[in-house]
Amino acid sequence: MIRKIFLFTIISLALILSACAPAATSNGDMPMNNDNSGMTDGTPTPGSMMMDNPEAAHMMEPITAPNVQPATETEGGQLLEYREENGVKVFELTTKAVQWEILDGVTVTAFTYNGTVPGPMIRVTEGDQVRIIVKNELPDPTTIHWHGVEVPNAMDGVPGVTQDPIQPGETFTYEFTAKPAGTFMYHSHYEGDVQVGAGLYAPFIIDPKEPDANPPVVDKTLMISEWRMIDGQTFAAMPMGGMEPNYFTINGKSFPATETITVKKGDLVRLRFIAIGQFIHPMHLHGVPFKIVATDGHPVPEAAQLTKDTVSVAPGERYDIEFVATETGQWMLHCHILHHTTNDNVEPGGLMLMIEVVE
Ligand SMILES: [Cu+2]
């Protein structure tokens, strides 16, 4: 009896395997080198099967745009000015490709909002009526998603679902009430693997209507991302087909080009981590522990605030941390996946910055 069951099992397994084999073969034989792969014009289509193809690395085309100019600004994430029209705060964004310097002598081809990586910070107060006019000067379509902001469905920026893609040369207007208060971001939702990897992201901060009882003296937003550069060309930093990132940036800069944050001894410091790449980053602070005061924009009640010295920020997540700078000196803040603190495999670099505490 046992032998019969054993034989039956073997035969069943053989049948299952033979049924699976042709499927696996046909998958492996996907006509990836044919013109219908969607990659011939440098624009991967959402349906392309690159993830399954070991030759994807060869097929990846660099991020390009005609007549890319060097960026005229050097700092990303700066506050975006607005004008007021009938009680509405009106912001203007233009998507465009620029050559963006992440490090002395290292320049990426970036897709940007208003020519910087990250794009400019939109900062408003909870309940504000906000209008954002987006002009697309990229060679590809795009949309903007307001990550974590509670917008009406039609403003959610998902191409083919809530809106048509904004074609090159076209303009689209987003309008919504800013809510709730917290740390959010905006980013492309069109071929995000390419466009977000190429720099189409920026912070979106909504301040509470009731001002903070104990506001921080220093309030910095740090957007974390990755890049893939080969022979001076920029690729989407995606973890597939052997494509691994080799540069890592905080607010569009790799150490030692990252900003040094200067604070006075005794200052309450708030850092808002936003991970917008495709990797997790355990961010570690030297010197003093911190409290996690908000997660994904939402305040953590004081009794539930964890005291830590490392917080892992996964793609899409935000963590607001606060600490009091108690000792003077140069205190390092860095990702603890130590490959992420290199520039093209050379240490130190990448996701590091200094917090300089002065008297
Ligand atoms: Cu990291």
Side-chain angles (χ1 to χ4, degrees), residues 227-228 244-248 279 281 335-347 349-351:
W227 303 82
R228 178 71 191 169
E244 290 287 337
N246 56 347
Y247 286 96
F248 308 87
F279 291 79
H281 299 291
C335 176
H336 225 289
I337 293 175
L338 299 174
H339 178 57
H340 297 179
T341 54
T342 62
N343 297 327
D344 203 16
N345 294 313
V346 179
E347 205 170 347
L351 303 182

mmCIF file with all atom_site columns, all heavy atoms in Angstrom, residues 227-228 244-248 279 281 335-347 349-351:
data_model
loop_
_atom_site.group_PDB
_atom_site.id
_atom_site.type_symbol
_atom_site.label_atom_id
_atom_site.label_alt_id
_atom_site.label_comp_id
_atom_site.label_asym_id
_atom_site.label_entity_id
_atom_site.label_seq_id
_atom_site.pdbx_PDB_ins_code
_atom_site.Cartn_x
_atom_site.Cartn_y
_atom_site.Cartn_z
_atom_site.occupancy
_atom_site.B_iso_or_equiv
_atom_site.pdbx_formal_charge
_atom_site.auth_seq_id
_atom_site.auth_comp_id
_atom_site.auth_asym_id
_atom_site.auth_atom_id
_atom_site.pdbx_PDB_model_num
ATOM 1   N N   . TRP A 1 227 ? 21.189 55.728 -6.925  1.00 0.00 ? 227 TRP A N   1
ATOM 2   C CA  . TRP A 1 227 ? 21.448 55.955 -8.356  1.00 0.00 ? 227 TRP A CA  1
ATOM 3   C C   . TRP A 1 227 ? 22.322 54.827 -8.888  1.00 0.00 ? 227 TRP A C   1
ATOM 4   O O   . TRP A 1 227 ? 23.095 54.221 -8.137  1.00 0.00 ? 227 TRP A O   1
ATOM 5   C CB  . TRP A 1 227 ? 22.188 57.277 -8.569  1.00 0.00 ? 227 TRP A CB  1
ATOM 6   C CG  . TRP A 1 227 ? 21.466 58.449 -8.005  1.00 0.00 ? 227 TRP A CG  1
ATOM 7   C CD1 . TRP A 1 227 ? 21.472 58.858 -6.698  1.00 0.00 ? 227 TRP A CD1 1
ATOM 8   C CD2 . TRP A 1 227 ? 20.601 59.349 -8.700  1.00 0.00 ? 227 TRP A CD2 1
ATOM 9   N NE1 . TRP A 1 227 ? 20.665 59.957 -6.545  1.00 0.00 ? 227 TRP A NE1 1
ATOM 10  C CE2 . TRP A 1 227 ? 20.126 60.282 -7.761  1.00 0.00 ? 227 TRP A CE2 1
ATOM 11  C CE3 . TRP A 1 227 ? 20.195 59.462 -10.037 1.00 0.00 ? 227 TRP A CE3 1
ATOM 12  C CZ2 . TRP A 1 227 ? 19.249 61.310 -8.119  1.00 0.00 ? 227 TRP A CZ2 1
ATOM 13  C CZ3 . TRP A 1 227 ? 19.333 60.484 -10.384 1.00 0.00 ? 227 TRP A CZ3 1
ATOM 14  C CH2 . TRP A 1 227 ? 18.868 61.401 -9.427  1.00 0.00 ? 227 TRP A CH2 1
ATOM 15  N N   . ARG A 1 228 ? 22.217 54.630 -10.196 1.00 0.00 ? 228 ARG A N   1
ATOM 16  C CA  . ARG A 1 228 ? 23.118 53.702 -10.861 1.00 0.00 ? 228 ARG A CA  1
ATOM 17  C C   . ARG A 1 228 ? 23.819 54.463 -11.976 1.00 0.00 ? 228 ARG A C   1
ATOM 18  O O   . ARG A 1 228 ? 23.167 54.998 -12.877 1.00 0.00 ? 228 ARG A O   1
ATOM 19  C CB  . ARG A 1 228 ? 22.324 52.528 -11.447 1.00 0.00 ? 228 ARG A CB  1
ATOM 20  C CG  . ARG A 1 228 ? 23.179 51.532 -12.216 1.00 0.00 ? 228 ARG A CG  1
ATOM 21  C CD  . ARG A 1 228 ? 24.059 50.723 -11.307 1.00 0.00 ? 228 ARG A CD  1
ATOM 22  N NE  . ARG A 1 228 ? 25.046 49.977 -12.074 1.00 0.00 ? 228 ARG A NE  1
ATOM 23  C CZ  . ARG A 1 228 ? 26.075 49.351 -11.535 1.00 0.00 ? 228 ARG A CZ  1
ATOM 24  N NH1 . ARG A 1 228 ? 26.261 49.372 -10.228 1.00 0.00 ? 228 ARG A NH1 1
ATOM 25  N NH2 . ARG A 1 228 ? 26.935 48.704 -12.275 1.00 0.00 ? 228 ARG A NH2 1
ATOM 26  N N   . GLU A 1 244 ? 22.541 47.192 -9.701  1.00 0.00 ? 244 GLU A N   1
ATOM 27  C CA  . GLU A 1 244 ? 22.530 47.601 -8.297  1.00 0.00 ? 244 GLU A CA  1
ATOM 28  C C   . GLU A 1 244 ? 23.007 49.043 -8.246  1.00 0.00 ? 244 GLU A C   1
ATOM 29  O O   . GLU A 1 244 ? 23.871 49.443 -9.020  1.00 0.00 ? 244 GLU A O   1
ATOM 30  C CB  . GLU A 1 244 ? 23.475 46.714 -7.482  1.00 0.00 ? 244 GLU A CB  1
ATOM 31  C CG  . GLU A 1 244 ? 22.983 45.288 -7.309  1.00 0.00 ? 244 GLU A CG  1
ATOM 32  C CD  . GLU A 1 244 ? 21.815 45.168 -6.345  1.00 0.00 ? 244 GLU A CD  1
ATOM 33  O OE1 . GLU A 1 244 ? 21.659 46.063 -5.493  1.00 0.00 ? 244 GLU A OE1 1
ATOM 34  O OE2 . GLU A 1 244 ? 21.075 44.186 -6.449  1.00 0.00 ? 244 GLU A OE2 1
ATOM 35  N N   . PRO A 1 245 ? 22.436 49.819 -7.327  1.00 0.00 ? 245 PRO A N   1
ATOM 36  C CA  . PRO A 1 245 ? 22.880 51.211 -7.248  1.00 0.00 ? 245 PRO A CA  1
ATOM 37  C C   . PRO A 1 245 ? 24.322 51.313 -6.770  1.00 0.00 ? 245 PRO A C   1
ATOM 38  O O   . PRO A 1 245 ? 24.779 50.477 -5.987  1.00 0.00 ? 245 PRO A O   1
ATOM 39  C CB  . PRO A 1 245 ? 21.921 51.842 -6.242  1.00 0.00 ? 245 PRO A CB  1
ATOM 40  C CG  . PRO A 1 245 ? 21.373 50.707 -5.459  1.00 0.00 ? 245 PRO A CG  1
ATOM 41  C CD  . PRO A 1 245 ? 21.388 49.503 -6.357  1.00 0.00 ? 245 PRO A CD  1
ATOM 42  N N   . ASN A 1 246 ? 25.025 52.309 -7.237  1.00 0.00 ? 246 ASN A N   1
ATOM 43  C CA  . ASN A 1 246 ? 26.410 52.523 -6.783  1.00 0.00 ? 246 ASN A CA  1
ATOM 44  C C   . ASN A 1 246 ? 26.635 53.937 -6.232  1.00 0.00 ? 246 ASN A C   1
ATOM 45  O O   . ASN A 1 246 ? 27.737 54.259 -5.816  1.00 0.00 ? 246 ASN A O   1
ATOM 46  C CB  . ASN A 1 246 ? 27.417 52.203 -7.893  1.00 0.00 ? 246 ASN A CB  1
ATOM 47  C CG  . ASN A 1 246 ? 27.174 52.997 -9.159  1.00 0.00 ? 246 ASN A CG  1
ATOM 48  O OD1 . ASN A 1 246 ? 26.129 53.616 -9.317  1.00 0.00 ? 246 ASN A OD1 1
ATOM 49  N ND2 . ASN A 1 246 ? 28.140 52.990 -10.054 1.00 0.00 ? 246 ASN A ND2 1
ATOM 50  N N   . TYR A 1 247 ? 25.567 54.736 -6.244  1.00 0.00 ? 247 TYR A N   1
ATOM 51  C CA  . TYR A 1 247 ? 25.614 56.039 -5.559  1.00 0.00 ? 247 TYR A CA  1
ATOM 52  C C   . TYR A 1 247 ? 24.341 56.197 -4.747  1.00 0.00 ? 247 TYR A C   1
ATOM 53  O O   . TYR A 1 247 ? 23.287 55.689 -5.129  1.00 0.00 ? 247 TYR A O   1
ATOM 54  C CB  . TYR A 1 247 ? 25.735 57.194 -6.561  1.00 0.00 ? 247 TYR A CB  1
ATOM 55  C CG  . TYR A 1 247 ? 27.110 57.301 -7.179  1.00 0.00 ? 247 TYR A CG  1
ATOM 56  C CD1 . TYR A 1 247 ? 27.389 56.721 -8.411  1.00 0.00 ? 247 TYR A CD1 1
ATOM 57  C CD2 . TYR A 1 247 ? 28.137 57.972 -6.511  1.00 0.00 ? 247 TYR A CD2 1
ATOM 58  C CE1 . TYR A 1 247 ? 28.656 56.803 -8.963  1.00 0.00 ? 247 TYR A CE1 1
ATOM 59  C CE2 . TYR A 1 247 ? 29.402 58.062 -7.064  1.00 0.00 ? 247 TYR A CE2 1
ATOM 60  C CZ  . TYR A 1 247 ? 29.659 57.478 -8.287  1.00 0.00 ? 247 TYR A CZ  1
ATOM 61  O OH  . TYR A 1 247 ? 30.915 57.560 -8.827  1.00 0.00 ? 247 TYR A OH  1
ATOM 62  N N   . PHE A 1 248 ? 24.460 56.901 -3.625  1.00 0.00 ? 248 PHE A N   1
ATOM 63  C CA  . PHE A 1 248 ? 23.361 57.031 -2.674  1.00 0.00 ? 248 PHE A CA  1
ATOM 64  C C   . PHE A 1 248 ? 23.312 58.492 -2.234  1.00 0.00 ? 248 PHE A C   1
ATOM 65  O O   . PHE A 1 248 ? 24.361 59.064 -1.935  1.00 0.00 ? 248 PHE A O   1
ATOM 66  C CB  . PHE A 1 248 ? 23.603 56.107 -1.467  1.00 0.00 ? 248 PHE A CB  1
ATOM 67  C CG  . PHE A 1 248 ? 23.880 54.688 -1.892  1.00 0.00 ? 248 PHE A CG  1
ATOM 68  C CD1 . PHE A 1 248 ? 25.178 54.287 -2.210  1.00 0.00 ? 248 PHE A CD1 1
ATOM 69  C CD2 . PHE A 1 248 ? 22.842 53.780 -2.043  1.00 0.00 ? 248 PHE A CD2 1
ATOM 70  C CE1 . PHE A 1 248 ? 25.438 52.987 -2.654  1.00 0.00 ? 248 PHE A CE1 1
ATOM 71  C CE2 . PHE A 1 248 ? 23.096 52.492 -2.482  1.00 0.00 ? 248 PHE A CE2 1
ATOM 72  C CZ  . PHE A 1 248 ? 24.392 52.088 -2.793  1.00 0.00 ? 248 PHE A CZ  1
ATOM 73  N N   . PHE A 1 279 ? 15.341 50.880 -1.742  1.00 0.00 ? 279 PHE A N   1
ATOM 74  C CA  . PHE A 1 279 ? 16.051 50.114 -0.728  1.00 0.00 ? 279 PHE A CA  1
ATOM 75  C C   . PHE A 1 279 ? 15.709 50.646 0.657   1.00 0.00 ? 279 PHE A C   1
ATOM 76  O O   . PHE A 1 279 ? 15.349 51.810 0.816   1.00 0.00 ? 279 PHE A O   1
ATOM 77  C CB  . PHE A 1 279 ? 17.569 50.212 -0.946  1.00 0.00 ? 279 PHE A CB  1
ATOM 78  C CG  . PHE A 1 279 ? 18.026 49.494 -2.184  1.00 0.00 ? 279 PHE A CG  1
ATOM 79  C CD1 . PHE A 1 279 ? 17.864 50.073 -3.440  1.00 0.00 ? 279 PHE A CD1 1
ATOM 80  C CD2 . PHE A 1 279 ? 18.579 48.223 -2.107  1.00 0.00 ? 279 PHE A CD2 1
ATOM 81  C CE1 . PHE A 1 279 ? 18.264 49.395 -4.588  1.00 0.00 ? 279 PHE A CE1 1
ATOM 82  C CE2 . PHE A 1 279 ? 18.983 47.546 -3.251  1.00 0.00 ? 279 PHE A CE2 1
ATOM 83  C CZ  . PHE A 1 279 ? 18.826 48.138 -4.495  1.00 0.00 ? 279 PHE A CZ  1
ATOM 84  N N   . HIS A 1 281 ? 16.803 51.771 4.433   1.00 0.00 ? 281 HIS A N   1
ATOM 85  C CA  . HIS A 1 281 ? 17.989 52.445 4.959   1.00 0.00 ? 281 HIS A CA  1
ATOM 86  C C   . HIS A 1 281 ? 17.894 52.598 6.480   1.00 0.00 ? 281 HIS A C   1
ATOM 87  O O   . HIS A 1 281 ? 17.142 53.446 6.958   1.00 0.00 ? 281 HIS A O   1
ATOM 88  C CB  . HIS A 1 281 ? 18.160 53.816 4.296   1.00 0.00 ? 281 HIS A CB  1
ATOM 89  C CG  . HIS A 1 281 ? 18.340 53.711 2.815   1.00 0.00 ? 281 HIS A CG  1
ATOM 90  N ND1 . HIS A 1 281 ? 19.469 53.182 2.242   1.00 0.00 ? 281 HIS A ND1 1
ATOM 91  C CD2 . HIS A 1 281 ? 17.527 54.044 1.780   1.00 0.00 ? 281 HIS A CD2 1
ATOM 92  C CE1 . HIS A 1 281 ? 19.350 53.198 0.919   1.00 0.00 ? 281 HIS A CE1 1
ATOM 93  N NE2 . HIS A 1 281 ? 18.181 53.713 0.614   1.00 0.00 ? 281 HIS A NE2 1
ATOM 94  N N   . CYS A 1 335 ? 23.546 55.822 7.111   1.00 0.00 ? 335 CYS A N   1
ATOM 95  C CA  . CYS A 1 335 ? 22.871 54.543 6.892   1.00 0.00 ? 335 CYS A CA  1
ATOM 96  C C   . CYS A 1 335 ? 23.791 53.438 7.386   1.00 0.00 ? 335 CYS A C   1
ATOM 97  O O   . CYS A 1 335 ? 25.006 53.498 7.191   1.00 0.00 ? 335 CYS A O   1
ATOM 98  C CB  . CYS A 1 335 ? 22.563 54.354 5.410   1.00 0.00 ? 335 CYS A CB  1
ATOM 99  S SG  . CYS A 1 335 ? 21.826 52.737 5.081   1.00 0.00 ? 335 CYS A SG  1
ATOM 100 N N   . HIS A 1 336 ? 23.202 52.422 8.029   1.00 0.00 ? 336 HIS A N   1
ATOM 101 C CA  . HIS A 1 336 ? 24.033 51.353 8.570   1.00 0.00 ? 336 HIS A CA  1
ATOM 102 C C   . HIS A 1 336 ? 24.115 50.135 7.660   1.00 0.00 ? 336 HIS A C   1
ATOM 103 O O   . HIS A 1 336 ? 24.654 49.096 8.052   1.00 0.00 ? 336 HIS A O   1
ATOM 104 C CB  . HIS A 1 336 ? 23.601 50.968 9.990   1.00 0.00 ? 336 HIS A CB  1
ATOM 105 C CG  . HIS A 1 336 ? 24.778 50.807 10.907  1.00 0.00 ? 336 HIS A CG  1
ATOM 106 N ND1 . HIS A 1 336 ? 25.662 49.755 10.800  1.00 0.00 ? 336 HIS A ND1 1
ATOM 107 C CD2 . HIS A 1 336 ? 25.252 51.593 11.893  1.00 0.00 ? 336 HIS A CD2 1
ATOM 108 C CE1 . HIS A 1 336 ? 26.608 49.891 11.706  1.00 0.00 ? 336 HIS A CE1 1
ATOM 109 N NE2 . HIS A 1 336 ? 26.389 51.004 12.378  1.00 0.00 ? 336 HIS A NE2 1
ATOM 110 N N   . ILE A 1 337 ? 23.599 50.220 6.451   1.00 0.00 ? 337 ILE A N   1
ATOM 111 C CA  . ILE A 1 337 ? 23.987 49.245 5.422   1.00 0.00 ? 337 ILE A CA  1
ATOM 112 C C   . ILE A 1 337 ? 25.217 49.889 4.806   1.00 0.00 ? 337 ILE A C   1
ATOM 113 O O   . ILE A 1 337 ? 25.122 50.881 4.077   1.00 0.00 ? 337 ILE A O   1
ATOM 114 C CB  . ILE A 1 337 ? 22.868 49.013 4.400   1.00 0.00 ? 337 ILE A CB  1
ATOM 115 C CG1 . ILE A 1 337 ? 21.694 48.317 5.094   1.00 0.00 ? 337 ILE A CG1 1
ATOM 116 C CG2 . ILE A 1 337 ? 23.382 48.176 3.210   1.00 0.00 ? 337 ILE A CG2 1
ATOM 117 C CD1 . ILE A 1 337 ? 20.469 48.138 4.243   1.00 0.00 ? 337 ILE A CD1 1
ATOM 118 N N   . LEU A 1 338 ? 26.384 49.373 5.144   1.00 0.00 ? 338 LEU A N   1
ATOM 119 C CA  . LEU A 1 338 ? 27.590 50.176 4.948   1.00 0.00 ? 338 LEU A CA  1
ATOM 120 C C   . LEU A 1 338 ? 28.009 50.298 3.485   1.00 0.00 ? 338 LEU A C   1
ATOM 121 O O   . LEU A 1 338 ? 28.775 51.187 3.132   1.00 0.00 ? 338 LEU A O   1
ATOM 122 C CB  . LEU A 1 338 ? 28.709 49.653 5.846   1.00 0.00 ? 338 LEU A CB  1
ATOM 123 C CG  . LEU A 1 338 ? 28.287 49.760 7.343   1.00 0.00 ? 338 LEU A CG  1
ATOM 124 C CD1 . LEU A 1 338 ? 29.301 49.110 8.242   1.00 0.00 ? 338 LEU A CD1 1
ATOM 125 C CD2 . LEU A 1 338 ? 28.027 51.190 7.765   1.00 0.00 ? 338 LEU A CD2 1
ATOM 126 N N   . HIS A 1 339 ? 27.434 49.466 2.642   1.00 0.00 ? 339 HIS A N   1
ATOM 127 C CA  . HIS A 1 339 ? 27.642 49.692 1.201   1.00 0.00 ? 339 HIS A CA  1
ATOM 128 C C   . HIS A 1 339 ? 27.000 51.019 0.778   1.00 0.00 ? 339 HIS A C   1
ATOM 129 O O   . HIS A 1 339 ? 27.429 51.639 -0.191  1.00 0.00 ? 339 HIS A O   1
ATOM 130 C CB  . HIS A 1 339 ? 27.061 48.539 0.383   1.00 0.00 ? 339 HIS A CB  1
ATOM 131 C CG  . HIS A 1 339 ? 27.196 48.738 -1.093  1.00 0.00 ? 339 HIS A CG  1
ATOM 132 N ND1 . HIS A 1 339 ? 28.425 48.941 -1.700  1.00 0.00 ? 339 HIS A ND1 1
ATOM 133 C CD2 . HIS A 1 339 ? 26.264 48.816 -2.083  1.00 0.00 ? 339 HIS A CD2 1
ATOM 134 C CE1 . HIS A 1 339 ? 28.226 49.120 -3.004  1.00 0.00 ? 339 HIS A CE1 1
ATOM 135 N NE2 . HIS A 1 339 ? 26.943 49.051 -3.252  1.00 0.00 ? 339 HIS A NE2 1
ATOM 136 N N   . HIS A 1 340 ? 25.992 51.425 1.551   1.00 0.00 ? 340 HIS A N   1
ATOM 137 C CA  . HIS A 1 340 ? 25.290 52.673 1.209   1.00 0.00 ? 340 HIS A CA  1
ATOM 138 C C   . HIS A 1 340 ? 26.064 53.904 1.658   1.00 0.00 ? 340 HIS A C   1
ATOM 139 O O   . HIS A 1 340 ? 25.618 55.025 1.445   1.00 0.00 ? 340 HIS A O   1
ATOM 140 C CB  . HIS A 1 340 ? 23.889 52.672 1.823   1.00 0.00 ? 340 HIS A CB  1
ATOM 141 C CG  . HIS A 1 340 ? 23.007 51.579 1.279   1.00 0.00 ? 340 HIS A CG  1
ATOM 142 N ND1 . HIS A 1 340 ? 21.719 51.370 1.703   1.00 0.00 ? 340 HIS A ND1 1
ATOM 143 C CD2 . HIS A 1 340 ? 23.250 50.636 0.314   1.00 0.00 ? 340 HIS A CD2 1
ATOM 144 C CE1 . HIS A 1 340 ? 21.196 50.335 1.049   1.00 0.00 ? 340 HIS A CE1 1
ATOM 145 N NE2 . HIS A 1 340 ? 22.106 49.874 0.213   1.00 0.00 ? 340 HIS A NE2 1
ATOM 146 N N   . THR A 1 341 ? 27.206 53.692 2.325   1.00 0.00 ? 341 THR A N   1
ATOM 147 C CA  . THR A 1 341 ? 28.068 54.830 2.685   1.00 0.00 ? 341 THR A CA  1
ATOM 148 C C   . THR A 1 341 ? 29.334 54.798 1.822   1.00 0.00 ? 341 THR A C   1
ATOM 149 O O   . THR A 1 341 ? 30.431 55.126 2.278   1.00 0.00 ? 341 THR A O   1
ATOM 150 C CB  . THR A 1 341 ? 28.423 54.821 4.189   1.00 0.00 ? 341 THR A CB  1
ATOM 151 O OG1 . THR A 1 341 ? 28.985 53.550 4.527   1.00 0.00 ? 341 THR A OG1 1
ATOM 152 C CG2 . THR A 1 341 ? 27.196 55.070 5.030   1.00 0.00 ? 341 THR A CG2 1
ATOM 153 N N   . THR A 1 342 ? 29.143 54.374 0.558   1.00 0.00 ? 342 THR A N   1
ATOM 154 C CA  . THR A 1 342 ? 30.244 54.407 -0.404  1.00 0.00 ? 342 THR A CA  1
ATOM 155 C C   . THR A 1 342 ? 29.799 55.186 -1.646  1.00 0.00 ? 342 THR A C   1
ATOM 156 O O   . THR A 1 342 ? 28.602 55.310 -1.914  1.00 0.00 ? 342 THR A O   1
ATOM 157 C CB  . THR A 1 342 ? 30.644 52.986 -0.857  1.00 0.00 ? 342 THR A CB  1
ATOM 158 O OG1 . THR A 1 342 ? 29.528 52.370 -1.525  1.00 0.00 ? 342 THR A OG1 1
ATOM 159 C CG2 . THR A 1 342 ? 31.068 52.115 0.311   1.00 0.00 ? 342 THR A CG2 1
ATOM 160 N N   . ASN A 1 343 ? 30.784 55.697 -2.368  1.00 0.00 ? 343 ASN A N   1
ATOM 161 C CA  . ASN A 1 343 ? 30.540 56.283 -3.685  1.00 0.00 ? 343 ASN A CA  1
ATOM 162 C C   . ASN A 1 343 ? 31.220 55.377 -4.712  1.00 0.00 ? 343 ASN A C   1
ATOM 163 O O   . ASN A 1 343 ? 32.442 55.321 -4.753  1.00 0.00 ? 343 ASN A O   1
ATOM 164 C CB  . ASN A 1 343 ? 31.142 57.691 -3.783  1.00 0.00 ? 343 ASN A CB  1
ATOM 165 C CG  . ASN A 1 343 ? 30.492 58.656 -2.800  1.00 0.00 ? 343 ASN A CG  1
ATOM 166 O OD1 . ASN A 1 343 ? 29.306 58.538 -2.497  1.00 0.00 ? 343 ASN A OD1 1
ATOM 167 N ND2 . ASN A 1 343 ? 31.269 59.611 -2.297  1.00 0.00 ? 343 ASN A ND2 1
ATOM 168 N N   . ASP A 1 344 ? 30.433 54.646 -5.482  1.00 0.00 ? 344 ASP A N   1
ATOM 169 C CA  . ASP A 1 344 ? 30.985 53.703 -6.452  1.00 0.00 ? 344 ASP A CA  1
ATOM 170 C C   . ASP A 1 344 ? 32.031 52.802 -5.782  1.00 0.00 ? 344 ASP A C   1
ATOM 171 O O   . ASP A 1 344 ? 33.150 52.646 -6.264  1.00 0.00 ? 344 ASP A O   1
ATOM 172 C CB  . ASP A 1 344 ? 31.590 54.453 -7.648  1.00 0.00 ? 344 ASP A CB  1
ATOM 173 C CG  . ASP A 1 344 ? 31.655 53.559 -8.884  1.00 0.00 ? 344 ASP A CG  1
ATOM 174 O OD1 . ASP A 1 344 ? 30.974 52.512 -8.901  1.00 0.00 ? 344 ASP A OD1 1
ATOM 175 O OD2 . ASP A 1 344 ? 32.393 53.912 -9.826  1.00 0.00 ? 344 ASP A OD2 1
ATOM 176 N N   . ASN A 1 345 ? 31.636 52.257 -4.636  1.00 0.00 ? 345 ASN A N   1
ATOM 177 C CA  . ASN A 1 345 ? 32.442 51.303 -3.848  1.00 0.00 ? 345 ASN A CA  1
ATOM 178 C C   . ASN A 1 345 ? 33.616 51.929 -3.107  1.00 0.00 ? 345 ASN A C   1
ATOM 179 O O   . ASN A 1 345 ? 34.449 51.208 -2.557  1.00 0.00 ? 345 ASN A O   1
ATOM 180 C CB  . ASN A 1 345 ? 32.950 50.152 -4.720  1.00 0.00 ? 345 ASN A CB  1
ATOM 181 C CG  . ASN A 1 345 ? 31.809 49.286 -5.215  1.00 0.00 ? 345 ASN A CG  1
ATOM 182 O OD1 . ASN A 1 345 ? 30.935 48.898 -4.425  1.00 0.00 ? 345 ASN A OD1 1
ATOM 183 N ND2 . ASN A 1 345 ? 31.763 49.017 -6.503  1.00 0.00 ? 345 ASN A ND2 1
ATOM 184 N N   . VAL A 1 346 ? 33.703 53.241 -3.055  1.00 0.00 ? 346 VAL A N   1
ATOM 185 C CA  . VAL A 1 346 ? 34.780 53.891 -2.310  1.00 0.00 ? 346 VAL A CA  1
ATOM 186 C C   . VAL A 1 346 ? 34.191 54.554 -1.064  1.00 0.00 ? 346 VAL A C   1
ATOM 187 O O   . VAL A 1 346 ? 33.260 55.359 -1.156  1.00 0.00 ? 346 VAL A O   1
ATOM 188 C CB  . VAL A 1 346 ? 35.517 54.935 -3.183  1.00 0.00 ? 346 VAL A CB  1
ATOM 189 C CG1 . VAL A 1 346 ? 36.617 55.621 -2.377  1.00 0.00 ? 346 VAL A CG1 1
ATOM 190 C CG2 . VAL A 1 346 ? 36.094 54.280 -4.440  1.00 0.00 ? 346 VAL A CG2 1
ATOM 191 N N   . GLU A 1 347 ? 34.753 54.205 0.081   1.00 0.00 ? 347 GLU A N   1
ATOM 192 C CA  . GLU A 1 347 ? 34.302 54.728 1.369   1.00 0.00 ? 347 GLU A CA  1
ATOM 193 C C   . GLU A 1 347 ? 35.220 55.877 1.800   1.00 0.00 ? 347 GLU A C   1
ATOM 194 O O   . GLU A 1 347 ? 36.416 55.796 1.508   1.00 0.00 ? 347 GLU A O   1
ATOM 195 C CB  . GLU A 1 347 ? 34.360 53.598 2.408   1.00 0.00 ? 347 GLU A CB  1
ATOM 196 C CG  . GLU A 1 347 ? 33.417 53.773 3.547   1.00 0.00 ? 347 GLU A CG  1
ATOM 197 C CD  . GLU A 1 347 ? 33.337 52.505 4.431   1.00 0.00 ? 347 GLU A CD  1
ATOM 198 O OE1 . GLU A 1 347 ? 33.823 51.442 4.011   1.00 0.00 ? 347 GLU A OE1 1
ATOM 199 O OE2 . GLU A 1 347 ? 32.808 52.624 5.518   1.00 0.00 ? 347 GLU A OE2 1
ATOM 200 N N   . GLY A 1 349 ? 31.309 57.759 1.844   1.00 0.00 ? 349 GLY A N   1
ATOM 201 C CA  . GLY A 1 349 ? 30.505 58.440 0.834   1.00 0.00 ? 349 GLY A CA  1
ATOM 202 C C   . GLY A 1 349 ? 29.034 58.215 1.100   1.00 0.00 ? 349 GLY A C   1
ATOM 203 O O   . GLY A 1 349 ? 28.635 57.852 2.206   1.00 0.00 ? 349 GLY A O   1
ATOM 204 N N   . GLY A 1 350 ? 28.234 58.416 0.083   1.00 0.00 ? 350 GLY A N   1
ATOM 205 C CA  . GLY A 1 350 ? 26.819 58.081 0.123   1.00 0.00 ? 350 GLY A CA  1
ATOM 206 C C   . GLY A 1 350 ? 26.028 58.699 1.247   1.00 0.00 ? 350 GLY A C   1
ATOM 207 O O   . GLY A 1 350 ? 26.072 59.916 1.468   1.00 0.00 ? 350 GLY A O   1
ATOM 208 N N   . LEU A 1 351 ? 25.318 57.810 1.970   1.00 0.00 ? 351 LEU A N   1
ATOM 209 C CA  . LEU A 1 351 ? 24.337 58.267 2.958   1.00 0.00 ? 351 LEU A CA  1
ATOM 210 C C   . LEU A 1 351 ? 24.987 58.572 4.300   1.00 0.00 ? 351 LEU A C   1
ATOM 211 O O   . LEU A 1 351 ? 24.826 57.844 5.281   1.00 0.00 ? 351 LEU A O   1
ATOM 212 C CB  . LEU A 1 351 ? 23.237 57.211 3.123   1.00 0.00 ? 351 LEU A CB  1
ATOM 213 C CG  . LEU A 1 351 ? 22.497 56.827 1.840   1.00 0.00 ? 351 LEU A CG  1
ATOM 214 C CD1 . LEU A 1 351 ? 21.401 55.818 2.137   1.00 0.00 ? 351 LEU A CD1 1
ATOM 215 C CD2 . LEU A 1 351 ? 21.922 58.061 1.149   1.00 0.00 ? 351 LEU A CD2 1
#
